[in-house]
Structures are given as C-alpha cells and as structure tokens.
Amino acid sequence: MGRQVSEDSGSRFATYVEGLTSVIGHADRAAPLRDYCVGLLAAEGRKSVEPMAAVTAPAGVSAQHQKLLHFVANATWSDERLLAKVCEMVLPAIERHGPIEAWIIDDTSYPKQGTHSVGVHHQYCGQLGKQANCQVAVTLSIANHHASLPIAYRLYLPKAWAQDAARRKKAHVPEAIKFKTKPQIALEQIREACAAGVPRGVVLMDASYGANSVLRAGVSALGLCYVAAIVSTVIVRAAYDRDAQEQRMSVKELALGLPKHAWRTITWREGSAVKLRSRFARVQVRTAPIRRAAERAEETLLIEWPEGEAEPTKYWLATLDKKISFRRLVDIAKMRWRIERDYQDLKQEIGLGHYEGRGWPGFHHHGTLCIAAYGFLVSEQETIPPSAARSSRMLTKPTIPSSYRPRGAPDPASASRAQLDRDPASQIDCCDHANLATVPVLCTPLHTKHTSYLVTQ
C-alpha cells in the first residue's frame, strides 16, 4: 500500500511539473525545474542551492549545483507565466471544495545582513516585529475555507534602491521597475489578477494596507468588494446619524459610544482545540468629507471588542452587502489567517526565505518556485483520508552520502531540524516520526490536515 501511495504521488508530481514545463521556455530547463522543486520538498534544513543539489544529484553535486544556480539566478523565464500556470493547475483542487471567497493582500519579510542583496533596507520587519535590515515581498493570494495559494509575488524596492542606478545595475533590476509603495504594488497585482480572469473574491487586507484610502478606492473601482482592517484613528461619520451631519469622530470614539445592545458574541470558526469567538458590533459609516458631492457610499464598520479587554482591539471597513449576516461578515474578515499560515509553511517547510543570491531575477525565481512546490502540496490535500492521523505521501530521492554536509552548515548533532529556520512565535507542532524508517521532509498541517511528506531511503 505504501509503495502504491508513493507511485501515485510521484506520478501526480511528474504530471504537475510537466504542466509547469510547458511555460518555462527552453526544453533544457525542464530538468532543473523538476530538480529545484524536488529539492525544495526533499532537502532538510536550509533550502539553498547546494543542499538541493546534493538531494537531487548526490553523485554529481558540483555540476548539479551549477545547473540549479544558473536556472534560478540567470535563466530568463517568466515568473508571471509560471505563477499563472500554478494557479491554473491548483485552482480546480481548491474549487472542488467551494468557490474562491477571498483575495488576500499582504507582505512578508526576510531579515538580511549587509546591504548588497536586492531591496535590503532598514525597514519594518514583520518576522522580527521591529525595524531591521530586511527584504519585503508583497503577495496576493486566493482562498476559500479549504485552502489558499499565493498567485503574485513582488519584491518591494525601497526608494533608496529605486533611485540608485549603480546598485540597480549590479542587482539586475529591470529598467521598467520604478519605485512603488506596497499598496501600489498590491493594487497592481489585483488589477493583473482581474485582467487574467482569476475567480473573484472579497479583497482582504490588514491595517497597513486597509488604512490606505487610495487602495480601497482602487479596489472598489475594479468592481471588487473588500474587508479592510483599519487603525483606530480613522475618521468616520455614522451614516444613521441624520441629525448630526457635521459630527465626525474616530472609529474608536464611535465604538466606545455604542450602546450595550449593539454588541454580539459571534463564533466564526472551529479552532484546533476550542471554538473561536469574540464580541463584535457593526454600524454603517461614511469615511469621506461631509460635503455631499465628495462623500463615498456607506460602508460597514466592523468592530471587535473581546470580553475582558479595556477597549476595542480591531476595526474593519467592509463594502459587502449590508444585509449580509453578521456571522458571515465576521467569518470573511477573519479569513486573513490563511495568509499567515501560508507564509509559515512556505518559510519553514519550503524555504521561501532561504535564497542566498543577491539579484532581482533570482529572488523572484526562487519565490516563484517555492510557490510552485507549495501549490503541489495544496493540490494533494484532498488525497489524504480525513480519518488519517498520519498520512504519508512519498517522493523518492537518491541516497545522500552520509558524510555530506553543505558548506557552512552546522554539525547536525548540535542542532535538530526543528531548531532550524523556525520563527519561535509561530511554531507548527509536527507528528512524531521517531519510530518510522523514513526521513521526514515535510510535516505541515497545510491549513486543515496534519500531513506528512516523507522520503524513502
């Protein structure tokens, strides 16, 4: 049975990679594409080029290293075309469990030492929760309650980089790339997804994007609805208050003035151990100046004020039908959690932040290939029996020489894999493989099921 599982998974993986190969360009890129994806799924610890070369060609590590390095850093294939193909191939597996419900915009950061890697700048680093030297990539993901998948990935190029011709040239930044803010990049990604005919969903964004009124207006202009987190200082006027046309206040002031009966306790999702619930209120508001000619349409202000907190903790503006059920509104607003899990899995299990090159093409090629490998895992979710506490899918690989250790890697005895490349604040508990005669390569819940991808030795 295990052999049949391995063969079935391997066959599906081969078909998947063959589909990706159709948009990669030259036929001689097919093998490095396959090997790079296998390396991302199979290499343990850090997913840089050398360990992936050892996994995929242990008898010729040096030559394989050069092939993979050229493919990711120098080959001129299109990230956009490959991501579009990933979306095309994985979307049916996601939609078998329901239509796309949300488009999620966000960004993710990678701490970096030095200043030579493209886009590195002293800026807010979400992974560290503070200002630090890092790279930041803006993403757009599609999601429903079954799964989610990034479909756009673009490095934010700080103004200091965008205006530095020498650094741009050295990092091979395309001439067409100009300085754009993160919200501007996000809106561009949304426009491109609309033009490509990606099934539409409600646009979800955190407060760093949601507080940008130009972005919200741009989303509305595309005919999309949004649920946008905002900061407590955003100024609104309660739409129901017809007797106080000039009374404008922050959303925090409005929330604190709501009557007790405006608040409802709502359960929106089953968590891993308990039901997720909190206290919410909603009210119709307008956010633009009072002059009627300049006023925008009414929006729903959603407010969360958990029991025991001294004041409300979260605020959203939504352009969904105001007749939508309260629970459904909360449920959609809370779907942003999926992108956090995507980032976690992509970084911890696929090696999204492990690229060691410095150039623009390599940064984006590596990110695209990580998303491609992740897309295969997303498409495999439905092959796992719901009752299985530990369901294995096998991708065979050559045996790695026992003496091999990537250049600069620590002694494996001194650091277990669980200690490598982990964000302490967002650990994923993996199942115990201590008694299995296999090497764990990927162990990730993938949002809904506790899945193990193992490599036979």
Side-chain angles (χ1 to χ4, degrees), residues 234-364:
V234 168
I235 301 298
V236 298
R237 173 174 62 81
Y240 63 80
D241 193 353
R242 302 301 181 187
D243 296 327
Q245 292 285 321
E246 301 300 322
Q247 187 174 358
R248 303 175 72 221
M249 64 188 75
S250 70
V251 291
K252 179 179 177 179
E253 291 174 312
L254 189 154
L256 293 174
L258 290 175
K260 186 176 181 180
H261 64 76
W263 300 92
R264 284 180 52 188
T265 297
I266 293 178
T267 300
W268 66 89
R269 184 166 60 87
E270 294 282 346
S272 57
V274 296
K275 292 181 178 180
L276 301 180
R277 65 180 61 180
S278 188
R279 194 172 59 152
F280 298 88
R282 62 174 175 176
V283 60
Q284 297 302 116
V285 300
R286 297 183 188 273
T287 58
I290 292 302
R291 290 182 297 107
R292 287 195 175 275
E295 276 191 331
R296 292 190 186 135
E298 290 183 10
E299 298 176 77
T300 300
L301 172 64
L302 176 66
I303 310 156
E304 181 178 0
W305 190 346
E307 292 284 354
E309 294 289 341
E311 60 185 43
T313 56
K314 294 180 182 178
Y315 306 83
W316 298 263
L317 285 173
T319 56
L320 294 167
D321 187 337
K322 62 183 180 182
K323 295 181 181 178
I324 189 173
S325 74
F326 207 158
R327 185 185 181 282
R328 176 62 176 158
L329 175 61
V330 171
D331 180 52
I332 292 175
K334 291 292 186 176
M335 278 187 70
R336 255 205 78 257
W337 71 273
R338 289 199 164 276
I339 189 60
E340 303 299 339
R341 178 56 61 81
D342 282 342
Y343 288 155
Q344 188 175 14
D345 289 343
L346 278 161
K347 288 184 175 182
Q348 295 186 355
E349 308 298 346
I350 308 295
L352 181 62
H354 294 179
Y355 183 63
E356 295 178 348
R358 293 177 173 178
W360 176 279
F363 177 89
H364 288 91

Side-chain angles (χ1 to χ4, degrees), residues 128-152:
L128 301 178
K130 63 180 182 180
Q131 296 281 324
N133 258 27
C134 66
Q135 295 167 303
V136 178
V138 180
T139 65
L140 172 65
S141 296
I142 55 174
N144 62 15
H145 278 77
H146 171 70
S148 51
L149 176 74
I151 62 170

Side-chain angles (χ1 to χ4, degrees), residues 90-91 93-94 146-150 342 371-383 446-447 453:
V90 178
L91 185 60
I94 298 176
H146 171 70
S148 51
L149 176 74
D342 282 342
I371 293 170
Y374 186 64
F376 174 71
L377 301 186
V378 171
S379 68
E380 285 285 281
Q381 286 187 72
E382 60 188 14
T383 69
L446 280 175
H447 312 315
Y453 278 77

Side-chain angles (χ1 to χ4, degrees), residues 34-106:
R34 178 198 64 229
D35 291 348
Y36 205 96
C37 288
V38 169
L40 290 170
L41 293 170
E44 293 191 74
R46 191 161 185 84
K47 310 297 180 78
S48 52
V49 174
E50 189 178 357
M52 292 195 293
V55 165
T56 54
V61 174
S62 180
Q64 179 74 334
H65 179 274
Q66 291 304 313
K67 290 178 183 177
L68 294 182
L69 188 61
H70 173 79
F71 177 69
V72 72
N74 302 316
T76 56
W77 48 271
S78 168
D79 295 291
E80 292 76 18
R81 289 188 67 194
L82 189 59
L83 286 174
K85 191 64 178 179
V86 171
C87 180
E88 175 190 322
M89 297 180 71
V90 178
L91 185 60
I94 298 176
E95 290 189 314
R96 273 194 283 273
H97 299 264
I100 295 301
E101 297 174 84
W103 287 8
I104 309 172
I105 59 177
D106 208 341

